[in-house]
Every structure is written in C-alpha cells, then in structure tokens.
C-alpha cells in the first residue's frame, strides 16, 4: 500500500527456533520473539535503505535525510534493551540477513 510518499511492504516472517522464542517470551520486552520479525527487512532487495517505524509512531517532520545515512544501522537505545525496535534505519544487505539467520539457528 502507498500512503502519500510512503510505501508499506509486507514481509514473510522469519523463522525463529523454539528455544529462542521461549527465551524472548520470558525476556522483559514488549513483544517477545515477535521483535525478531523485523530482521526480514535486511533481505529486501528492492531498496537500499529501509526505515522501520512501528504503527504507533507519529512522524512530525520530514525524514528523507534518514535515507542518506551512510551507516549500516542507526537506532536508538530502548528503555529495556540495547535497541528500540520501534524506529530504526538500516542498509539492506542479503549477506547480513543470511548471517543473522545462521546466528539464530545456533543461538
């Protein structure tokens, strides 16, 4: 779906091992293992950069400059975790995505 100049895309879910699901569900974060679904954004090949925003985020000013960010990943600290999963910017990279999936399988 396209809303203004923002394109919303659907991503296939990432398979999370049951052991990791159980661990994430017992952790103190808002969504448990579902936080890992966002990893699929690294596999998007149609775009060079992805801005991930949760539905409860209200954008108050233009964010186009975030697409020009030259870093592989930019995020903010979360209240209970190293990264706030609600908003971040990433350069898409299929190789990094594959590495993350491999790490999940061996965690």
């Amino acid at each position: 779906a396209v809303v203004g100049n923002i394109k919303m895309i659907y991503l296939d879910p990432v398979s999370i091992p049951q052991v990791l699901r159980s661990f994430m569900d017992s952790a103190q974060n808002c969504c448990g293992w579902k936080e890992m679904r966002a990893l699929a954004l690294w596999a998007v090949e149609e775009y060079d950069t992805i801005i991930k925003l949760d539905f409860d985020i209200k954008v108050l000013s233009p964010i186009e400059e975030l697409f020009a960010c030259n870093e592989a990943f930019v995020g903010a600290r979360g209240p209970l975790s190293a990264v706030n999963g609600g908003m971040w910017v990433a350069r898409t990279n299929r190789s990094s995505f594959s590495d993350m999936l491999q790490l999940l399988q061996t965690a």
Side-chain angles (χ1 to χ4, degrees), residues 93-107:
N93 184 313
R94 178 61 95 169
S95 177
S96 293
F97 176 67
S98 296
D99 291 346
M100 287 185 248
L101 291 183
Q102 181 65 32
L103 184 61
L104 284 176
Q105 297 306 318
T106 59

Side-chain angles (χ1 to χ4, degrees), residues 25-102:
D25 282 340
S26 67
Q28 293 188 7
N29 65 35
C30 69
C31 303
W33 69 269
K34 294 176 187 121
E35 292 283 3
M36 302 301 235
R37 293 180 295 188
L39 295 178
L41 291 169
W42 268 271
V44 174
E45 295 178 330
E46 186 177 351
Y47 304 98
D48 294 329
T49 304
I50 295 289
I51 298 175
K52 191 259 187 202
L53 300 171
D54 277 356
F55 287 110
D56 61 349
I57 290 180
K58 184 176 183 178
V59 178
L60 300 174
S61 60
I63 60 173
E64 285 81 8
E65 66 187 61
L66 293 174
F67 287 105
C69 181
N70 235 2
E71 300 296 327
F73 179 86
V74 176
R77 286 192 62 82
L80 300 173
S81 62
V83 176
N84 181 333
M87 183 274 173
W88 45 262
V89 181
R91 308 281 273 150
T92 58
N93 184 313
R94 178 61 95 169
S95 177
S96 293
F97 176 67
S98 296
D99 291 346
M100 287 185 248
L101 291 183
Q102 181 65 32

